[in-house]
Coordinates of all heavy atoms in Angstrom, one line a residue:
V98 N -15.3 -21.4 -3.8 CA -14.8 -21.7 -5.1 C -13.4 -21.2 -5.3 O -12.5 -21.7 -6.0 CB -15.8 -21.3 -6.3 CG1 -15.1 -21.4 -7.6 CG2 -17.0 -22.1 -6.2
Y385 N -17.5 8.1 -13.3 CA -16.5 7.3 -12.7 C -15.2 8.1 -12.6 O -14.5 8.0 -11.5 CB -16.2 6.1 -13.6 CG -15.0 5.3 -13.3 CD1 -14.9 4.5 -12.1 CD2 -13.9 5.2 -14.1 CE1 -13.8 3.8 -11.9 CE2 -12.8 4.5 -13.9 CZ -12.8 3.8 -12.7 OH -11.7 3.0 -12.5
V435 N -40.8 -7.2 -20.0 CA -40.9 -8.3 -20.9 C -41.8 -9.4 -20.5 O -42.6 -10.0 -21.2 CB -39.5 -8.9 -21.2 CG1 -39.5 -10.1 -22.1 CG2 -38.6 -7.8 -21.8
V489 N -28.6 0.5 -26.7 CA -29.1 1.5 -27.6 C -29.6 0.8 -28.9 O -30.7 1.2 -29.4 CB -28.1 2.6 -27.9 CG1 -28.5 3.4 -29.0 CG2 -27.8 3.4 -26.7
E728 N -0.4 -1.6 7.6 CA -1.8 -1.8 7.3 C -2.4 -3.1 7.9 O -3.2 -3.8 7.3 CB -2.1 -1.8 5.8 CG -1.7 -0.5 5.2 CD -1.9 -0.4 3.7 OE1 -2.0 -1.4 3.1 OE2 -1.8 0.7 3.2
A732 N -3.1 -8.4 16.1 CA -3.9 -9.6 16.3 C -4.1 -10.3 14.9 O -4.1 -11.6 14.9 CB -5.3 -9.2 16.8
K1023 N 4.4 -12.8 37.6 CA 3.1 -12.4 37.3 C 2.6 -11.4 38.3 O 1.9 -10.4 37.9 CB 2.1 -13.6 37.3 CG 0.7 -13.3 36.9 CD -0.2 -14.5 36.8 CE -1.6 -14.2 36.3 NZ -2.2 -13.2 37.3

Side-chain angles (χ1 to χ4, degrees):
V98 171
Y385 170 71
V435 174
V489 170
E728 298 177 345
K1023 184 176 184 302

